[in-house]
Structure formats: C-alpha cells, structure tokens
C-alpha cells in the first residue's frame, strides 16, 4: 500500500484506524483532504464495498476532488461511493423514498430566491406590513426552525416561540410558516432546508427505511464536522447507530457558520456520543510559514471553547506579519493597492497570488476604487452567480415546469414571459381560486374556463398546451435537444435575440452558455443518468464555490473571510481590523459570539502561505457619517515579536516605538488602553492611538484663516497652513500636519480650529 508511505505518522494512524468511531482534528493546512481520500481508498483496498461507504462534504468541489483522488488510488470502482454534499446526497435519497412522506419523486428544489418570492406572495395575500414581515426575516426564521427540526405545528405550539413572536410584534409568523409549508407541498417542491428536514422526517416515520440505509452505509465519513447543524447531526447519528463506523473530520478553530445554524458543540461534544472514540490530531501545517502559524496560535489561544492542539510548521520562519494603519477607509484601500503593486513589480508575483479579505461585503468599495486607480485587475467573489441571472432563471423555470408542472414559483415566473397577455390580475385570480379549492396553481390553470372569462381563459389554455408539449418532447430527446427545443419554442430565445442593446446581447450570450453547459453535461462519461431533470437537480444543489468559472484568471481576489474558507493564497491582506467592525458590534455582548469572531479572524490568517498583512483605519464612513475607530482587540492579542508595523505616518514625538534612538523600546506597550491586571493573560500591544481632539473642540470661522496659522483637525491633529488657493466657496488649504505630513483640504468641509 504505497500510498501510505507519503503520510506523516499522525495522518497514517488516522487513515489506518477504520473500525469504530473516529474523530480527526485537522489544523489549518494539515492535509485534511489527503487523509480523508486515503482513508476511503484504504477502506476499499481492505475489501469494503464502495456501495457501503458514505462520504458527506459541504461543497461539490470538495466531493469532486476527493473522488478524483480516490479513483487515482483504487481505480474506477471508487465511482460507486455515495459521496457529495449533505443536500445532494439526501436529495438523491429522497428521490427514491419521497412517496413515503407524500411527495412526488420529481419534486422541485426551490433556491433562496424561489422561497423568498413565494413568501412575498403569501405576505401580500395576508395583507401584512412588509416592514415588519420582510421576506428576508421570515425566510431566515423558517430556515432556523427547520434546521432545529421544528415543524410549523410545533412552531405554533411552542409557548416560548409564541411569546418571542408576539413581543416582537410578529404574531403571524406561525401562520405564515404553515401557509408556506402547505404551498410548497401542493407545488411538489422542497426548499434547501427541506432536503434535510424531510430526510429526518422520513427516517423518523419509517423505521424500515432507516434500517435499510443503516445497513447500506456501513462506513460514514463527514468532512467539516464543526459546520454541521442539529438537523445534519441527527441524520448522521441515526445512520451510524448500528455499525458506529463513523469518522468525522474538522477543526473547531474554524467553526464560523453559526449564523447558518452550525453548532460547534457537535464537534466539541462528539466524545459524549461515542465514549470509545479514537482521536487523532493533525498538527503539522504544510501551508504557512512558522511566523504565520505562531500568530494564528496566539489568536485562537484566547478562546475557552476549543479542543486543544499545538499546530506547528516546518517551513521557513518567514516574514513578520505587517500591520498597516490608515487614517481613513479610502487611505486603507490606497495603501493595500500600492503594496500589491509593489510586490507584483519587485518580486514578479502574479495578480492571483494576492487576496484581500474583509469582514463585510460593504468594505470592498474602498478596495475596488484603489485597485481601479492603479489598473490592478481584480475579481469579487460571492457576487451574483451565473445561475442567479434573470435570463438563466427564466429558462430554467421552463425546464422545471416541464418536469413538475405543479411548481408554483416556476409557473408564476414564465406564464407571461415572453409576454402573452396573461397579466398579474389573471394570475392573482387563479391563485385565489387555487387557495380556495386547496389545489395547485397548475391545476387551476388547466381548467381556466372555470375561473376566467373566455378570451383570457383561451390564452391561459394555450400556455398550458405549450408546457404539455414540452413534457412529451422531454421524454424522447436528450437533455441538450430538449433544452434547445424549449428555449426556442417558448419564445425566450427570440425575445432576447430581438433586444439589440448591449445588455440584451449579453443575456442572449448567457443563454447560449447555459445551452453549451447542458450539451457538455449530456456528453459526460462519468454519470449514467443524463436527462434534463438530472441537470436541474445538479444546478439546484450548487454551492457558492461551484459557481465561479474563471478561477484561473490572473486577478486579485476580493472576498469576505467566510467566502475564503478552504482557499489559500501566497499573500493575504486582512483589512478593517477595528472594534465594532471586526469583531462586529453584534458579537460584543456574548462570549460565544466573540469567540466565533475570533475563529473567523483565525480562518483569515490561516489562508496565508507566505506573507500576511493586517490593516485598520482610524476613521471610517458609516451610514454617511465619519466615525472614529479603535484598532481591533484581536490585534492586541498578538505578541509584538511576530509583528512589523508599517505606519505611513509617524505618531507624536516621543513615542518609544517610533523613536529611532531607542530601538530597545520597540516592544513596549504604546496603546492607550489601561494596563491589564497581573492575573489576566496579555501579550504585548503594538498599536498607536489616533489624535484626540482638544477638550471643547469647535471649528473656527474659516474666513479668518491665513497662511502661517497653526490649526487643529479632529483626526489629523495639529498642523500649519502653508498655502491657500481658489475662490469662495471652494478655497483649498494646504496644511502640513506634524503626524501626517502635507494634506490639501477643502475649507468648507475641513472643520479646522485656529490655534490662538
């Protein structure tokens, strides 16, 4: 078994332990994927039938990579493993067993937009205030309930939930949840959360089905176990109950998805479920330099809820971690862009060697502007995916309706696109009739004369005949031929072709790209079923990192830290390290939430291979108002010996860190916070404070300002006016600030105090 030779002792021990419950705690960059793939390959080499192995991941990309590696070790038989994301695996299982819980096997999978669209329709029908009951809020509330396996009946009967809803003025949530669930059921649709919620329901209500899959899946492996929610936890626990050959892999230090329902306690308390657990720790980091690993260790050491491990690296010591201070968010963007340009020019790095990571999407603006000014190519990840574009969703709605005509969201989307004279009033009348008779919208539309006047009924009837013709065609044609036929005969291709605007041409090209993708799908040799319905399920279950196509383009990557998980880059900038931003303001009242923010910072730091830069601004615009910012407490938690400060401006005279004549003072605390007590753990702080305005600061009358005067600015400190130019009201002052150097300010906005 030569494939075992390349593993370190900890990795090999984890691979070879195949019986009983196993937990592999995998530090960042420790070769986790390699261990999972070799462990599965090892099971097959030991004679385990691939049909009896279930591997659950969180992205399709991870599943594909693992399967390819396993095939490379044991051959084509690895294709028989049940492997994929939780949602894709259990969607496949539900296709077989859905009739046992009253669903058709061809159920539609609603994406988030479909679900919110249906909720908006329900809220409108119930005449509810969209400010109090926004579709986003209601969707998140229902999603959280499903992830905790709370049905609409249990939701309505739970006194605590009801008390919370009524105290918040949203006492109709239980009724909305009920209506939403019933409408999905009548439409033969499941939303993303239902794929797990209904799997739990299936296994709970059908012991024979549970027993069947307990005996089928004799060996279970779960990747990223720290990100599982209660629903996922319960499915895995049920399936593993007989054989207990379950292996979970994860890192509690990278648990960052509580907002999606992930429960870190699943991994922290795993041993309570399996007392005879075998635990293996992968602690050698193969990705990052020792300095970066040291910083990451010092950060996560501040968390109380964790499984202890000592991550180390045998790579070079590496550069110290650079900390940059800017005086505004725009200046921060400029400093980051200039640093990237310099590294690119001086060291011959590619643009795609750089990543800029931030806490919130809104922070990308200042970074984008700075990169554009220097003509640095970049790509923002996590934006609108290909399959979320309107024209793509329109054509896919036709496909969905062809295979499941009861799909209400798809029917409403295309019944009048391209325009065929079926207006909103007609659709609303059909919806009301469907609700009154407890039937689907499609069923109401197939008997239009019963609900509509003659001419409108005829138009609706023609649309129904069109969809029925697609249903016949889809049974006899390949996925690509059926898709092309539907695109042409629905009128959608013609409508886009006739729009000669740039946007129209782009939309037409996107449809062609979708059809190309379906043709490629039809010709794949690694799958047996190639129908258009199978293609629909594949794209419905895409995760975010499956949507970005041009990943090899030479561009700087911009993304939130949440989006960066699982990625790595030679040079990473983590920006916006300020209190109330990172950690976020919402996390500061809870130790649990603050620890998740710290884990998020840990994830950002450990994306780095060679060079890490951290930055913060001392002021930032928020909701149109300029606010002063304090450096993040997370920076304070890093020992100064691992850091190198790169401040563009020199702070006040006499600051020991910047006094070249006192190099021995460089590790002294120069941050303006009180010293911690002797009992509290503390590393050396290296942050300098921003200017504090003079007590009673008030801007002076700028008509009195003259060259040579001393002035004070709220953020920039004290300076001297060296030039005035322009005419009222647009006079500009050039001022030399003691801490910043020369700046040019527009007087009507400058808010300067003349020093008497």
């Amino acid at each position: 078994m030569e494939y075992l030779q390349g593993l370190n002792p900890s990795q090999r021990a984890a691979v070879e332990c195949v019986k009983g419950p196993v937990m592999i705690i995998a530090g960042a960059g420790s070769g986790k994927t390699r261990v999972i793939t070799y462990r599965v390959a090892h099971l097959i080499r030991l004679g385990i039938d691939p049909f009896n192995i279930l591997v659950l991941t969180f992205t399709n990309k991870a599943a594909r990579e693992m399967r390819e590696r396993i095939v490379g070790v044991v051959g084509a038989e690895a294709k028989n493993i049940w492997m994929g994301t939780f949602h894709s695996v259990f969607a496949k299982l539900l296709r077989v067993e859905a009739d046992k819980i009253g669903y058709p096997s061809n159920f539609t999978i609603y994406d988030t937009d479909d679900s919110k669209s249906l909720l908006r329709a329900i809220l409108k029908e119930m005449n509810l205030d969209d400010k109090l009951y926004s579709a986003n809020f209601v969707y998140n509330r229902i999603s959280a309930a499903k992830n905790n396996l709370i049905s609409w009946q249990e939701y309505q009967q739970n006194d605590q939930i009801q008390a919370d809803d009524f105290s918040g003025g949203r006492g109709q949530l239980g009724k909305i949840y009920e209506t939403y669930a019933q409408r999905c059921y009548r439409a033969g649709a499941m939303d993303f959360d239902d794929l797990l919620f209904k799997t739990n329901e299936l296994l709970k209500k059908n012991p024979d089905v549970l027993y069947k899959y307990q005996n089928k899946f004799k060996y279970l492996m779960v990747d990223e176990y720290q990100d599982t929610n209660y629903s996922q936890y319960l499915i895995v626990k049920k399936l593993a109950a007989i054989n207990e050959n379950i292996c979970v892999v994860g890192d509690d230090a990278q648990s960052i998805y509580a907002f999606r329902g992930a429960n870190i306690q699943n991994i922290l308390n795993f041993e309570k479920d399996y007392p005879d657990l075998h635990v293996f720790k992968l602690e050698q980091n193969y990705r990052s330099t020792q300095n970066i690993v040291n910083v990451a260790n010092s950060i996560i050491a501040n968390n109380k809820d964790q499984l202890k491990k000592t991550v180390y690296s045998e790579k070079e010591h590496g550069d110290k971690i650079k900390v940059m201070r800017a005086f505004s968010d725009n200046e921060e963007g400029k400093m980051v862009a200039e640093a990237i340009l310099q590294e690119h020019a001086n060291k011959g790095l590619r643009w795609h060697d750089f990543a800029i990571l931030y806490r919130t999407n809104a922070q990308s603006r200042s970074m984008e502007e700075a990169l554009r000014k220097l003509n640095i190519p970049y790509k923002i990840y996590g934006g609108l995916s290909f399959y979320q574009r309107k024209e793509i969703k329109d054509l896919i709605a036709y496909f969905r309706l062809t295979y499941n005509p009861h799909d209400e969201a798809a029917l409403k989307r295309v019944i009048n696109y391209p325009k065929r004279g079926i207006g909103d009033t007609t659709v609303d009348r059909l919806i009301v009739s469907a609700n009154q008779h407890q039937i689907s919208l499609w069923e109401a539309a197939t008997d239009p004369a019963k609900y509509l006047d003659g001419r409108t009924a005829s138009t609706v009837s023609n649309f129904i005949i069109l969809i029925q013709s697609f249903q016949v065609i889809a049974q006899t044609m390949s996925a690509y031929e059926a898709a092309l036929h539907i695109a042409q005969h629905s009128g959608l291709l013609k409508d886009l072709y006739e729009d000669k605007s740039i946007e129209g041409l782009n939309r037409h090209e996107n449809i062609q790209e979708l059809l190309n993708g379906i043709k490629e799908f039809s010709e794949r040799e690694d799958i047996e079923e190639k129908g258009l319905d199978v293609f629909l399920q594949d794209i419905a279950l895409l995760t975010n990192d499956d949507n970005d196509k041009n990943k090899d383009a030479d561009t700087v990557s911009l993304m939130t830290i949440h989006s960066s998980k699982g990625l790595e880059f030679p040079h990473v900038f983590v920006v916006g390290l300020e209190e109330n931003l990172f950690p976020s303001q919402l996390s500061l009242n809870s130790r649990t939430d603050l620890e998740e923010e710290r884990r998020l910072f840990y994830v950002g730091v450990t994306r780095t291979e060679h060079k890490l830069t951290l930055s913060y601004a001392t002021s930032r615009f928020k909701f149109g108002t300029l606010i002063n910012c304090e450096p993040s407490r997370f920076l304070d938690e890093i020992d100064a010996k691992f850091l190198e400060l790169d401040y563009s401006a020199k702070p006040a005279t006499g600051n020991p860190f910047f006094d070249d004549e006192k190099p021995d003072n460089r590790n002294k605390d120069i941050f303006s916070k009180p010293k911690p007590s002797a009992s509290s753990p503390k590393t050396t702080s290296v942050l300098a404070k921003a200017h504090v305005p003079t007590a009673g600061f008030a801007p002076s009358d700028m008509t009195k300002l003259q060259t040579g005067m001393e002035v004070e600015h709220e953020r920039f400190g004290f300076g001297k006016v060296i030039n005035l130019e322009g005419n009222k009201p647009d006079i500009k002052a050039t001022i030399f600030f003691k801490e910043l150097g020369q700046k040019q300010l527009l007087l009507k906005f400058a808010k300067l105090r003349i020093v008497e």
Side-chain angles (χ1 to χ4, degrees):
M1 296 185 180
E2 66 285 347
Y3 58 91
L4 296 176
Q5 304 304 315
L7 301 174
N8 68 37
S10 297
Q11 292 173 331
R12 180 161 183 164
V15 166
E16 292 183 315
C17 184
V18 297
K19 288 292 184 182
V22 172
M23 178 165 66
I24 302 172
I25 303 170
S30 61
K32 168 178 68 75
T33 303
R34 193 180 197 194
V35 169
I36 295 173
T37 53
Y38 282 3
R39 192 174 190 276
V40 175
H42 192 60
L43 285 169
I44 297 172
R45 282 287 180 89
L46 292 176
I48 306 301
D49 191 328
F51 282 106
N52 296 136
I53 300 172
L54 171 63
V55 183
L56 296 169
T57 67
F58 272 81
T59 66
N60 294 302
K61 175 190 168 192
R64 281 195 304 271
E65 289 179 354
M66 289 180 194
R67 192 184 296 276
E68 289 170 4
R69 292 194 196 185
I70 296 166
V71 168
V73 177
V74 299
E77 61 180 322
K79 294 179 180 179
N80 296 325
I81 301 165
W82 275 59
M83 176 184 285
T85 64
F86 275 88
H87 293 89
S88 65
V89 165
F90 295 117
K92 181 179 176 182
L93 187 150
L94 285 169
R95 293 284 181 204
V96 178
E97 312 289 352
D99 62 301
K100 296 179 177 62
I101 53 173
Y103 274 81
S105 61
N106 65 334
F107 61 84
T108 296
I109 300 172
Y110 277 179
D111 64 16
T112 304
D113 284 347
D114 296 324
S115 297
K116 290 180 180 178
S117 177
L118 176 56
L119 283 169
R120 277 190 286 270
I122 292 169
L123 295 169
K124 182 180 178 182
E125 292 163 22
M126 294 176 67
N127 293 314
L128 293 173
D129 183 352
D130 59 3
K131 293 183 177 63
L132 195 59
Y133 294 93
S134 71
N136 280 338
F137 175 82
V138 176
Y139 172 81
N140 290 334
R141 190 73 174 216
I142 293 174
S143 176
K146 288 182 179 179
N147 285 332
N148 286 287
L149 302 183
I150 299 172
S151 66
W152 65 262
Q153 295 95 332
E154 292 167 321
Y155 190 99
Q156 291 179 358
Q157 294 164 7
N158 188 300
D159 292 338
Q160 183 59 54
I161 291 177
Q162 294 306 302
D164 289 345
D165 285 354
F166 277 99
S167 66
R170 297 187 177 97
Q172 294 294 314
L173 283 170
K175 183 62 180 174
I176 298 168
Y177 186 3
E178 176 185 359
T179 306
Y180 173 75
Q182 291 173 344
R183 292 277 278 275
C184 286
Y185 182 76
R186 292 210 303 268
M190 295 188 195
D191 65 23
F192 224 54
D193 297 310
D194 278 329
L195 296 175
L196 303 180
F197 182 81
K198 296 297 180 183
T199 298
N200 270 295
E201 180 183 324
L202 171 72
L203 299 179
K204 182 178 180 180
K205 293 182 177 179
N206 299 273
D208 55 326
V209 175
L210 173 59
Y211 185 74
K212 169 184 172 181
Y213 288 101
Q214 285 174 331
N215 283 280
K216 177 178 178 60
F217 301 132
K218 292 183 169 65
Y219 292 85
L220 278 74
M221 287 197 68
V222 186
D223 188 19
E224 304 286 11
Y225 190 68
Q226 77 280 351
D227 292 332
T228 53
N229 60 30
Y230 179 63
S231 183
Q232 292 162 328
Y233 160 80
L234 213 56
I235 293 172
V236 170
K237 189 178 180 184
K238 286 177 180 176
L239 292 176
I242 290 180
N243 298 295
E244 289 200 347
N245 292 322
I246 177 172
C247 173
V248 301
V249 186
D251 181 6
D252 58 292
Q254 298 185 67
S255 178
I256 58 173
Y257 294 116
F259 67 96
R260 292 184 191 167
N263 186 355
I264 191 175
Q265 298 304 319
N266 290 349
I267 192 168
L268 295 178
N269 296 328
F270 191 68
E271 193 166 3
K272 291 181 180 179
D273 289 333
Y274 303 96
D276 54 344
L277 180 68
H278 300 283
V279 179
F280 300 93
K281 296 182 180 181
L282 309 182
E283 297 175 304
Q284 183 173 352
N285 182 311
Y286 291 91
R287 175 189 302 154
S288 307
T289 64
Q290 183 62 52
N291 239 332
I292 292 165
V293 170
N294 287 340
V295 167
N297 286 343
S298 69
I299 292 164
I300 207 62
N302 290 274
N303 273 8
K304 291 184 178 179
D305 291 339
Q306 62 172 295
L307 298 168
K308 292 292 184 182
K309 59 185 176 298
T310 305
V311 180
Y312 66 95
S313 172
E314 293 186 352
K315 296 181 73 173
E316 71 277 9
H317 209 68
D319 294 339
K320 286 188 174 185
I321 283 59
K322 185 176 289 188
V323 179
M324 298 195 305
R325 179 190 63 189
F327 289 89
S328 68
D329 45 354
N330 287 334
E331 187 181 17
E332 182 184 35
K334 179 183 176 185
M335 291 170 70
V336 169
E338 288 176 347
I340 290 174
L341 186 66
Q342 187 174 0
E343 290 281 313
H344 177 267
N346 295 346
K347 299 185 179 178
L349 299 176
R350 303 285 300 276
W351 297 121
H352 67 222
D353 291 332
F354 300 92
I356 302 173
L357 310 182
Y358 33 77
R359 179 63 182 84
T360 65
N361 280 307
Q363 292 170 254
S364 70
R365 180 199 58 79
S366 58
M367 298 296 148
E368 287 186 79
E369 289 180 3
L371 292 169
R372 279 201 299 268
K373 286 177 181 176
L374 295 180
N375 293 318
I376 297 175
Y378 66 90
K379 176 177 174 61
I380 294 182
Y381 288 79
L384 188 68
S385 77
F386 179 77
Y387 291 103
Q388 293 300 315
R389 291 178 168 90
K390 179 187 180 300
E391 62 275 13
I392 301 300
K393 289 180 73 71
D394 289 338
L395 183 52
I396 287 174
Y398 274 107
F399 298 162
R400 282 168 37 179
L401 206 54
T402 299
Y403 286 94
N404 176 15
H406 299 285
D407 183 341
E408 179 178 329
L411 178 55
K412 286 162 61 178
R413 187 175 188 97
V414 298
I415 193 170
N416 197 39
Y417 178 71
K419 290 187 181 301
R420 49 178 61 91
I422 305 174
D424 291 344
T425 303
T426 300
V427 175
D428 288 343
R429 287 175 64 184
L430 288 172
I431 290 172
V432 169
S433 302
N435 291 340
Q436 287 175 343
H437 293 85
Q438 295 293 295
I439 58 176
S440 70
L441 182 58
W442 171 264
E443 289 171 301
T446 53
D447 191 9
K450 189 174 180 180
Y451 311 110
L452 306 169
D453 57 40
R455 183 178 177 182
T456 308
S458 176
T459 307
V460 171
S461 183
N462 289 337
F463 174 74
I464 296 298
I465 292 170
L466 176 70
I467 300 301
Q468 289 171 335
S469 73
F470 293 164
Q471 292 170 342
V472 174
I473 288 294
Q475 294 175 3
T476 60
M477 289 183 171
S478 69
Y480 173 70
E481 291 169 334
L484 182 59
H485 178 91
I486 294 170
Q488 291 172 335
H489 289 81
S490 65
L492 189 147
L493 263 182
K494 180 174 180 289
D495 185 70
L496 293 177
Y497 181 75
E498 290 175 349
D499 182 355
K500 298 303 181 182
S501 67
I502 294 175
E503 293 79 8
L505 292 173
N506 286 337
R507 286 193 286 268
H508 190 267
E509 288 175 0
N510 286 336
I511 291 294
Q512 294 296 341
E513 179 61 28
L514 174 63
L515 294 172
N516 292 340
I518 297 173
K519 187 173 181 63
E520 184 181 329
F521 169 83
S522 301
E523 297 171 353
R524 279 175 56 182
E525 297 180 358
D526 60 330
I527 54 174
E528 295 179 9
E529 298 181 32
K530 301 178 183 179
L532 187 55
D533 55 334
V534 179
F535 175 80
L536 284 176
Q537 174 163 310
D538 278 0
I539 61 173
L541 295 168
L542 287 174
T543 52
N544 286 338
D545 39 341
D546 297 305
N547 290 326
D548 294 312
K549 296 207 168 187
N550 299 318
K551 292 189 175 182
D552 295 326
D554 191 21
T555 56
V556 175
S557 299
L558 275 68
M559 66 188 79
T560 64
I561 301 178
H562 281 104
S563 299
S564 74
K565 191 165 179 290
L567 304 178
E568 55 187 43
F569 303 90
H571 193 157
V572 170
F573 293 81
V574 181
V575 301
L577 279 157
E578 297 135 34
E579 286 292 293
N580 300 321
L581 179 58
F582 198 10
S584 74
Q585 189 169 5
L586 295 175
S587 72
L588 300 181
N589 294 324
S590 162
R591 180 179 68 83
T592 301
D593 292 344
L594 183 59
E595 290 201 351
E596 171 139 341
E597 289 286 298
R598 190 175 285 111
R599 292 194 295 270
L600 188 60
F601 184 34
Y602 175 89
V603 167
V605 166
T606 54
R607 299 312 91 203
T608 318
E609 295 174 355
H610 303 300
K611 192 164 185 177
L612 172 66
T613 303
L614 310 174
S615 69
Y616 70 96
T618 59
S619 66
R620 186 177 295 272
F621 275 98
K622 188 174 183 180
F623 304 119
T625 303
L626 189 66
I627 60 169
N628 290 326
C629 305
E630 285 190 12
S632 169
R633 68 188 67 196
F634 297 154
L635 290 170
D636 236 1
E637 294 170 354
I638 305 173
D639 195 297
K641 66 184 179 184
F642 302 132
L643 302 179
E644 169 195 340
L645 271 75
D646 182 23
Y647 289 174
S648 60
K650 193 170 180 179
T653 307
N655 188 313
F657 190 90
F658 290 90
D659 192 336
D660 294 335
E661 296 179 3
K662 300 179 180 179
D664 293 337
N665 286 335
R666 285 184 173 247
N667 285 339
K668 287 186 177 179
D669 185 359
I670 60 166
F671 196 43
S672 58
K673 294 180 181 177
K675 296 287 184 181
S677 64
S679 60
S680 43
K682 175 71 175 148
T683 54
T684 310
S685 170
V686 294
L687 305 175
K689 65 178 182 179
H691 173 72
V692 177
T694 302
F697 178 92
S700 301
D701 180 359
M702 289 296 97
T703 61
K704 299 178 181 179
L705 190 67
Q706 297 179 18
T707 302
M709 281 186 171
E710 295 284 336
V711 293
E712 181 186 13
H713 186 277
E714 278 188 296
R715 290 188 296 118
F716 303 151
F718 293 97
K720 185 175 184 177
V721 180
I722 58 177
N723 188 39
L724 293 171
E725 61 182 85
N727 300 312
K728 292 181 181 180
D730 298 318
I731 299 175
K732 294 179 182 178
T734 303
I735 304 171
F736 185 84
F737 290 100
K738 294 177 182 177
E739 297 185 12
L740 291 175
Q742 187 169 301
K743 280 190 172 292
Q744 194 172 66
L745 304 175
L746 200 58
L747 285 187
K748 62 182 179 182
F749 299 126
K751 295 182 180 179
L752 299 170
R753 181 181 75 86
I754 299 173
V755 180
E756 300 297 338

